[in-house]
Amino acid sequence: MKGTKGRRRFIDYPRQGREGPRRWLPSWRQWLSAVALCVGGLAGLFAVVYAQVGIPGENALAGQEASVYYWADGSQMVSVGAVNRQNVTLDKVPDSVENSVIAAENATFYSDAGVSLQGIGRALVNMVSGEETQGGSTITQQYVKNTYLSQDQTVTRKVKEFIISLKVSNQKSKQEILRGYLNTSWFGRGSYGIQAASHAYYGIDAKDLDPSQGAVLAALLKGSEQYDPGLSAANHRRAVARWKWILDRQVATGKMSQEERAKYRTFPEPRGLSKPTSQAGQTGYLVDVANKFIKADTGLTDKELARGGYRIHTTFDKQRTHRLEKAVKDVRRDTIDPKKRAADNYVEFGAASVRPKDGAVVAVYGGADATRHFSNNADTTAVPAGSAFKPFVLAAALQRPDGAAPDTAEAAAARRKAGFGNLSEGLLKAQNAPFVQAGQQLGLERIRDLAVEAGLREESMARLEQTFPLGTSAPSAIRMASAYTTFVNGGLHTDPYAVTSMTHDGKKVPGFHRREPVQVLDAGVAQQVSNVLEGVGRRSVGQPDAASGQAVAAGRTEPGDRMKSAWFIGSPRGGGPEFGSVPTVGGEKGSLVRPEPAPGAGGGDEPTTAVTMFRNKPGAPDLLPLQGVGGSGTGLGTALPPKVWNAYQQSS
């Protein structure tokens, strides 16, 4: 027994000769041994992984397939070209551009081992928690990701990136790595690499870039969607701020003198956006709309889309798109003459057709030519809706807050005292006072919320001021058409969409799903708003036989709006009954009872189409007035969008 007690154990745990909690607390030697064992195990595991992970072959970015977009009937609409990339050697890249890139992305590039442990750790934590993973990578790591790996945000890919970056750093010179990085990085505007980017933004070779221009291109490496100054005013502000920071950073790191920095005080504006000739006419606008829905549904970025290889099936109807374009061109030719009237300068049209039954965007008119006029007039949120917004105020007045049926005659009489009795008459007679009063009584938040539920975007809503019910908000034509489908579709709204399916290298891209309709208005309320809008439609385009042979439920701006936009949103109402009078909200022409939706009224294949017109001088932030557009008798131009709509319908 004594011999047994005196025998020394290989691992003295629980610890002999200790009592109580101390018996279970490891000694410092045991702690040290455990740490050494863990470190040794990790080192061994790393050695095994390091030995097994080799440097794969380079990606063939220049050999990537183009992406193909298809019409709704399955025919090809356009092939968006393969990767735009031109390799250059470092002697073709000014030192100042190299310094800008290093200052912006990896100041320790020439002294580090090619990896950032801190950045890797942060990226892994973010991936596990579901947050964004970008940021923290060295130039070597970014080069490895661009050249050897996919863009997948996974732990496996991140570990491979770390291992391969170490190997690349040991096997390649810093100059080779920097050259590869500059030739494979995404700069936006369809350009991979510094040479393609130099032409896309400044129309020159990379060798001719000055330090200021180089700093702008270096800023784009943080994300062109946020830093391309040509995309938006917000982007421009971010680009200018980062451009300044990159130049200052070079001074701080000793790569630029204060005297040299002082030469660059004016932001070097890049050239305007451009599109390839294959996207001329409406094609470029259609691609833009499709890409917005793709990014919203799948999370793909412009950079990922630019890599190509996608097959994208859209909802766009080829014939309707051509008819809509022709309608705008015909009205412009017949009424707009800049040589005769100064007011006809800078006139722009935008239009979109949305199918009520499912929300499909079937046609778009974004401007005269996507290769010359780059902003998409069908998707702009800079044009006030004016009186075309008033139907949402009427709907808010009719809709009970709890979603119940419209008021009985007795309840309507009480509500008339609250100021809602003349809204339908005010809509027909282009009066503003009843709608301002309704906003005061209903609450502006209630009107805004209903408009958003009906399909308008919350970010396009104006400030909640007294004039809010008069249409100070600026929704896009796509969203206005979508929201108006709610009135002719029994109060059902389906979010708009423009892409039905998408594949990459033959594999289905997940994220697309059928939009389900939502009942946002009581069916009776939707019917009553449609009845009022039919009166507006008759006044705008004449009797039913003057348009498509059908009654038209429509909203529009009025000359009395005194705004800088003109709208017409119309929905053909096939099969609906004729209405001898239009009910008012609790007025003398009848009380608000729940009528059944008219048979065949809305909800079918006939789309709701929104047409907008405005004047915008390129580069100017504010819209120009519409007085005198199209000559006398056009009512501040408000008669022209109905002409476009009518011509579009008659061409069917």
Side-chain angles (χ1 to χ4, degrees):
M1 293 293 293
K2 289 182 180 180
T4 302
K5 289 182 180 180
R7 185 179 302 162
R8 195 182 183 95
R9 290 186 295 176
F10 179 72
I11 299 178
D12 183 21
Y13 192 84
R15 297 169 66 190
Q16 297 185 64
R18 301 290 191 275
E19 297 180 357
R22 294 183 60 195
R23 187 166 183 259
W24 300 96
L25 290 175
S27 67
W28 66 269
R29 292 186 180 87
Q30 290 172 332
W31 277 115
L32 186 61
S33 298
V35 170
L37 182 63
C38 290
V39 171
L42 290 174
L45 178 62
F46 177 80
V48 171
V49 173
Y50 187 88
Q52 290 182 344
V53 175
I55 300 178
E58 291 189 1
N59 294 332
L61 281 178
Q64 285 277 350
E65 284 188 274
S67 288
V68 182
Y69 294 75
Y70 297 92
W71 294 101
D73 64 5
S75 61
Q76 182 171 320
M77 179 171 66
V78 66
S79 175
V80 177
V83 172
N84 177 20
R85 174 185 172 191
Q86 303 170 52
N87 289 338
V88 293
T89 55
L90 282 186
D91 63 324
K92 302 296 184 183
V93 181
D95 290 345
S96 61
V97 176
E98 295 179 26
N99 292 336
S100 289
V101 170
I102 292 171
E105 295 295 302
N106 184 189
T108 62
F109 171 68
Y110 280 110
S111 60
D112 62 36
V115 296
S116 168
L117 291 174
Q118 182 180 10
I120 288 285
R122 183 166 59 250
L124 292 175
V125 170
N126 288 345
M127 271 188 277
V128 171
S129 62
E131 298 179 9
E132 292 186 4
T133 60
Q134 62 185 4
S137 295
T138 64
I139 283 177
T140 305
Q141 288 173 256
Q142 294 179 61
Y143 163 66
V144 165
K145 181 176 66 174
N146 293 341
T147 307
Y148 302 109
L149 301 173
S150 70
Q151 301 297 309
D152 296 338
Q153 298 291 352
T154 63
V155 173
T156 300
R157 202 274 293 157
K158 204 68 180 174
V159 171
K160 285 184 177 180
E161 176 190 303
F162 181 81
I163 299 295
I164 296 172
S165 295
L166 285 175
K167 289 193 171 185
V168 166
S169 186
N170 288 330
Q171 297 178 21
K172 290 180 179 286
S173 68
K174 291 291 186 179
Q175 287 72 26
E176 289 178 292
I177 294 170
L178 183 60
R179 176 183 60 81
Y181 174 68
L182 288 173
N183 281 321
T184 59
S185 291
W186 168 252
F187 288 85
R189 300 194 181 184
S191 58
Y192 279 92
I194 191 68
Q195 176 72 353
S198 299
H199 280 278
Y201 287 89
Y202 291 106
I204 58 177
D205 287 334
K207 64 182 178 61
D208 297 321
L209 290 168
D210 65 32
S212 187
Q213 294 168 330
V216 173
L217 296 186
L220 295 165
L221 293 168
K222 192 172 178 64
S224 63
E225 293 178 3
Q226 297 293 314
Y227 289 90
D228 182 344
L231 293 179
S232 68
N235 271 30
H236 194 278
R237 289 192 294 271
R238 283 189 289 266
V240 171
R242 188 155 179 83
W243 164 77
K244 290 179 180 178
W245 179 84
I246 290 172
L247 291 174
D248 291 340
R249 178 69 171 161
Q250 291 180 70
V251 175
T253 57
K255 296 298 183 180
M256 180 181 287
S257 67
Q258 288 283 4
E259 293 75 20
E260 178 75 4
R261 172 67 181 90
K263 296 178 182 178
Y264 309 114
R265 297 299 180 189
T266 302
F267 184 73
E269 297 288 351
R271 66 198 307 187
L273 295 167
S274 63
K275 289 183 181 295
T277 55
S278 62
Q279 297 187 41
Q282 299 307 302
T283 304
Y285 303 124
L286 296 171
V287 169
D288 284 343
V289 171
N291 285 348
K292 283 190 176 182
F293 282 101
I294 289 170
K295 289 185 285 186
D297 285 351
T298 67
L300 289 171
T301 64
D302 284 333
K303 175 181 179 180
E304 291 163 330
L305 286 173
R307 288 181 177 273
Y310 293 98
R311 299 292 180 267
I312 299 140
H313 294 268
T314 75
T315 60
F316 304 128
D317 184 300
K318 184 192 304 183
Q319 296 305 318
R320 287 189 183 277
T321 299
H322 293 164
R323 283 165 40 204
L324 184 57
E325 182 179 28
K326 183 178 184 301
V328 174
K329 287 183 176 179
D330 288 349
V331 170
R332 177 182 284 277
R333 180 197 62 219
D334 295 340
T335 60
I336 305 298
D337 189 351
K339 295 180 180 179
K340 183 185 297 184
R341 291 176 295 271
D344 286 359
N345 283 291
Y346 313 119
V347 173
E348 296 289 344
F349 286 90
S353 291
V354 176
R355 196 162 56 207
K357 71 175 183 180
D358 62 357
V361 181
V362 297
V364 160
Y365 178 84
D369 188 330
T371 63
R372 293 185 286 110
H373 175 77
F374 305 119
S375 60
N376 191 337
N377 294 345
D379 201 30
T380 182
T381 54
V383 184
S387 294
F389 185 81
K390 290 178 180 177
F392 301 107
V393 184
L394 174 59
L398 291 170
Q399 180 85 350
R400 291 278 296 276
D402 57 3
D407 294 338
T408 62
E410 294 77 11
R415 287 169 64 77
R416 183 170 65 250
K417 295 179 181 179
F420 307 132
N422 297 317
L423 287 180
S424 58
E425 183 177 359
L427 188 58
L428 286 168
K429 294 184 178 181
Q431 297 171 342
N432 289 336
F435 292 90
V436 174
Q437 185 179 9
Q440 295 169 347
Q441 297 294 330
L442 289 170
L444 301 179
E445 292 85 356
R446 180 172 165 185
I447 297 171
R448 177 201 60 199
D449 293 346
L450 182 140
V452 171
E453 289 175 5
L456 301 187
R457 301 294 294 270
E458 188 165 0
E459 52 265 36
S460 71
M461 293 292 100
R463 295 177 59 183
L464 298 182
E465 300 174 330
Q466 184 177 4
T467 56
F468 178 79
L470 303 182
T472 53
S473 298
S476 68
I478 292 173
R479 283 290 170 171
M480 282 291 272
S482 172
Y484 265 64
T485 64
T486 306
F487 301 136
V488 296
N489 201 31
L492 288 170
H493 175 71
T494 306
D495 283 342
Y497 70 104
V499 177
T500 56
S501 64
M502 180 176 175
T503 61
H504 186 260
D505 292 338
K507 298 179 181 178
K508 186 176 181 180
V509 176
F512 299 100
H513 57 277
R514 182 176 177 81
R515 269 71 172 172
E516 295 298 328
V518 177
Q519 192 81 42
V520 299
L521 282 179
D522 178 83
V525 168
Q527 181 66 50
Q528 291 178 64
V529 175
S530 293
N531 294 347
V532 178
L533 292 178
E534 187 171 320
V536 177
R538 285 175 173 169
R539 176 165 58 86
S540 301
V541 298
Q543 294 302 314
D545 58 2
S548 60
Q550 300 173 319
V552 180
R556 59 171 291 171
T557 45
E558 304 288 353
D561 282 351
R562 295 191 301 276
M563 300 185 74
K564 298 177 180 179
S565 62
W567 286 86
F568 185 84
I569 305 97
S571 300
R573 299 187 69 191
E578 293 298 321
F579 294 91
S581 63
V582 180
T584 59
V585 186
E588 296 178 357
K589 292 185 181 178
S591 59
L592 292 179
V593 295
R594 179 199 293 260
E596 292 298 322
D605 289 332
E606 277 300 310
T608 297
T609 301
V611 181
T612 185
M613 185 186 78
F614 55 95
R615 294 179 66 212
N616 183 217
K617 184 177 181 179
D622 299 324
L623 300 182
L624 298 172
L626 294 179
Q627 286 91 338
V629 172
S632 60
T634 62
L636 296 182
T638 54
L640 300 186
K643 287 181 181 293
V644 171
W645 188 90
N646 203 19
Y648 175 47
Q649 294 300 122
Q650 288 180 331
S651 64
S652 60

Short mmCIF file of all heavy atoms in Angstrom, two decimals, residues 111 154 162 191 221 274 289 303 308 318 364 366-367 377 422 425 433 445 461 540 585 609:
data_model
loop_
_atom_site.label_atom_id
_atom_site.label_comp_id
_atom_site.label_asym_id
_atom_site.label_seq_id
_atom_site.Cartn_x
_atom_site.Cartn_y
_atom_site.Cartn_z
N SER A 111 5.63 45.56 -46.14
CA SER A 111 6.30 45.01 -44.96
C SER A 111 5.55 43.83 -44.33
O SER A 111 6.12 43.09 -43.54
CB SER A 111 6.49 46.10 -43.90
OG SER A 111 5.25 46.65 -43.49
N THR A 154 -17.78 32.32 -47.30
CA THR A 154 -17.86 31.15 -46.44
C THR A 154 -16.59 31.02 -45.62
O THR A 154 -15.54 31.55 -45.99
CB THR A 154 -18.05 29.86 -47.28
OG1 THR A 154 -16.89 29.67 -48.11
CG2 THR A 154 -19.28 29.96 -48.17
N PHE A 162 -6.57 32.61 -46.60
CA PHE A 162 -5.48 32.86 -45.65
C PHE A 162 -4.25 32.02 -46.02
O PHE A 162 -3.13 32.53 -46.11
CB PHE A 162 -5.95 32.53 -44.24
CG PHE A 162 -4.92 32.76 -43.17
CD1 PHE A 162 -4.70 34.04 -42.67
CD2 PHE A 162 -4.16 31.72 -42.67
CE1 PHE A 162 -3.74 34.26 -41.68
CE2 PHE A 162 -3.21 31.93 -41.69
CZ PHE A 162 -3.01 33.20 -41.19
N SER A 191 -15.87 47.60 -65.38
CA SER A 191 -14.43 47.52 -65.62
C SER A 191 -13.70 46.74 -64.53
O SER A 191 -13.84 47.01 -63.35
CB SER A 191 -13.83 48.93 -65.73
OG SER A 191 -14.08 49.68 -64.56
N LEU A 221 -12.16 51.24 -54.97
CA LEU A 221 -11.89 49.88 -54.51
C LEU A 221 -12.66 49.54 -53.25
O LEU A 221 -12.86 48.36 -52.93
CB LEU A 221 -10.38 49.72 -54.26
CG LEU A 221 -9.51 49.78 -55.52
CD1 LEU A 221 -8.04 49.90 -55.14
CD2 LEU A 221 -9.74 48.56 -56.39
N SER A 274 -21.68 55.79 -69.24
CA SER A 274 -21.96 55.40 -70.63
C SER A 274 -22.38 53.94 -70.65
O SER A 274 -22.10 53.18 -69.73
CB SER A 274 -20.73 55.60 -71.50
OG SER A 274 -19.66 54.77 -71.07
N VAL A 289 -33.53 48.11 -64.78
CA VAL A 289 -34.67 47.74 -63.95
C VAL A 289 -34.55 46.28 -63.51
O VAL A 289 -34.74 45.95 -62.32
CB VAL A 289 -36.00 47.96 -64.71
CG1 VAL A 289 -37.17 47.37 -63.93
CG2 VAL A 289 -36.24 49.45 -64.94
N LYS A 303 -20.79 44.09 -59.01
CA LYS A 303 -19.52 43.42 -59.29
C LYS A 303 -19.75 41.97 -59.67
O LYS A 303 -19.17 41.45 -60.64
CB LYS A 303 -18.61 43.52 -58.06
CG LYS A 303 -17.30 42.76 -58.19
CD LYS A 303 -16.49 42.89 -56.91
CE LYS A 303 -15.18 42.10 -57.00
NZ LYS A 303 -14.38 42.22 -55.77
N GLY A 308 -20.56 37.99 -65.33
CA GLY A 308 -21.21 37.32 -66.45
C GLY A 308 -21.60 35.88 -66.16
O GLY A 308 -21.48 35.38 -65.05
N LYS A 318 -42.08 42.36 -75.26
CA LYS A 318 -41.39 43.03 -76.36
C LYS A 318 -42.30 43.98 -77.12
O LYS A 318 -41.94 45.13 -77.39
CB LYS A 318 -40.82 41.98 -77.32
CG LYS A 318 -39.99 42.56 -78.45
CD LYS A 318 -39.70 41.51 -79.53
CE LYS A 318 -39.00 40.30 -78.95
NZ LYS A 318 -38.64 39.32 -80.03
N VAL A 364 -41.51 49.43 -70.15
CA VAL A 364 -40.85 50.58 -69.54
C VAL A 364 -40.41 51.53 -70.64
O VAL A 364 -39.92 51.09 -71.69
CB VAL A 364 -39.62 50.14 -68.70
CG1 VAL A 364 -38.66 51.29 -68.47
CG2 VAL A 364 -40.06 49.55 -67.37
N GLY A 366 -37.77 54.56 -70.47
CA GLY A 366 -36.86 55.23 -69.56
C GLY A 366 -36.24 56.51 -70.09
O GLY A 366 -35.61 57.25 -69.34
N GLY A 367 -36.44 56.81 -71.37
CA GLY A 367 -35.84 57.99 -71.98
C GLY A 367 -35.60 57.75 -73.45
O GLY A 367 -35.91 56.68 -73.99
N ASN A 377 -35.90 57.40 -66.58
CA ASN A 377 -37.06 58.23 -66.24
C ASN A 377 -38.22 57.41 -65.70
O ASN A 377 -39.11 57.96 -65.04
CB ASN A 377 -37.54 59.01 -67.46
CG ASN A 377 -36.52 60.04 -67.92
OD1 ASN A 377 -35.58 60.38 -67.20
ND2 ASN A 377 -36.69 60.53 -69.14
N ASN A 422 -66.37 66.14 -49.66
CA ASN A 422 -66.18 66.67 -51.01
C ASN A 422 -64.93 66.14 -51.71
O ASN A 422 -64.49 66.71 -52.70
CB ASN A 422 -66.10 68.20 -50.95
CG ASN A 422 -67.39 68.82 -50.44
OD1 ASN A 422 -68.47 68.39 -50.83
ND2 ASN A 422 -67.26 69.80 -49.56
N GLU A 425 -65.63 64.84 -55.35
CA GLU A 425 -65.92 66.00 -56.19
C GLU A 425 -64.66 66.84 -56.39
O GLU A 425 -64.39 67.34 -57.49
CB GLU A 425 -67.02 66.84 -55.57
CG GLU A 425 -67.44 68.03 -56.42
CD GLU A 425 -68.59 68.81 -55.81
OE1 GLU A 425 -69.06 68.40 -54.73
OE2 GLU A 425 -68.99 69.81 -56.39
N ALA A 433 -58.36 72.30 -51.67
CA ALA A 433 -58.75 72.55 -50.29
C ALA A 433 -59.30 71.32 -49.58
O ALA A 433 -58.94 71.05 -48.42
CB ALA A 433 -59.76 73.71 -50.23
N GLU A 445 -49.87 60.81 -41.33
CA GLU A 445 -49.25 59.50 -41.21
C GLU A 445 -50.15 58.41 -41.78
O GLU A 445 -49.68 57.48 -42.45
CB GLU A 445 -48.94 59.18 -39.74
CG GLU A 445 -47.85 60.04 -39.12
CD GLU A 445 -48.39 61.37 -38.59
OE1 GLU A 445 -49.62 61.63 -38.78
OE2 GLU A 445 -47.61 62.14 -38.02
N MET A 461 -41.51 59.13 -50.13
CA MET A 461 -42.51 59.99 -49.50
C MET A 461 -41.89 61.32 -49.05
O MET A 461 -40.77 61.35 -48.52
CB MET A 461 -43.12 59.30 -48.28
CG MET A 461 -43.98 58.07 -48.61
SD MET A 461 -45.52 58.44 -49.48
CE MET A 461 -45.03 58.04 -51.16
N SER A 540 -60.19 63.04 -69.21
CA SER A 540 -58.83 63.16 -69.73
C SER A 540 -58.70 62.66 -71.17
O SER A 540 -58.00 63.27 -71.98
CB SER A 540 -57.85 62.39 -68.84
OG SER A 540 -57.88 62.88 -67.52
N VAL A 585 -68.14 61.14 -51.09
CA VAL A 585 -67.90 60.55 -49.78
C VAL A 585 -68.93 61.12 -48.81
O VAL A 585 -68.75 62.17 -48.21
CB VAL A 585 -66.48 60.87 -49.30
CG1 VAL A 585 -66.18 60.15 -48.01
CG2 VAL A 585 -65.49 60.46 -50.37
N THR A 609 -50.85 51.71 -66.61
CA THR A 609 -49.69 52.41 -67.16
C THR A 609 -49.59 53.81 -66.60
O THR A 609 -50.57 54.56 -66.60
CB THR A 609 -49.78 52.48 -68.70
OG1 THR A 609 -49.85 51.15 -69.22
CG2 THR A 609 -48.56 53.18 -69.28
#
